[in-house]
Amino acid sequence: MDLSKIIPTSDEIEVTLVYPGTDKVLENDDGTPMTITLHAPHTKEYKAGVYEQANKRIKEQQKEFTVQDWEASTTDLLIKSIKSWDITFDGEKPKATKAKIKEVITSKAGFWIVDQLQEKVNSFEAFTPA
């Protein structure tokens, strides 16, 4: 075995959104599945979000880190790690800007998306078996 051959097979995680509590794939009006593509945890883009959060916590170390802070931190990292999406929201297919991503995944209609994204990040396997 050559260690230099053990590299990730993908730098992205594609999440197909499903109706909460089911396996039913959500579809856009054109019949395509709603998807969100994330940068994988080993990428520089994902790590930049982790580093930004860690540095922020270091600067605010006098402040108690609450459950609310943890939830906001987790959501913020997911927002920063979203590379692209193909969704329908409020009757349109919005561009994946950071502001729009935050609006969608923190809204009453989209809060459950965070759980689906986090589940895929947590179960992401970037390597193929040897």
Side-chain angles (χ1 to χ4, degrees), residues 80-101:
K80 287 181 169 91
S81 67
I82 292 176
K83 180 178 180 180
S84 63
W85 65 9
D86 183 10
I87 67 164
T88 301
F89 186 78
D90 203 17
E92 54 186 42
K93 291 179 94 171
K95 291 179 87 170
T97 64
K98 299 302 178 199
K100 185 53 101 172
I101 292 167

Side-chain angles (χ1 to χ4, degrees), residues 23-36:
D23 290 332
K24 183 179 184 223
V25 173
L26 294 173
E27 294 182 348
N28 294 298
D29 293 336
D30 62 6
T32 59
M34 290 193 199
T35 59
I36 298 177

Side-chain angles (χ1 to χ4, degrees), residues 14 16 40 61:
E14 184 170 283
T16 300
Q61 62 186 325

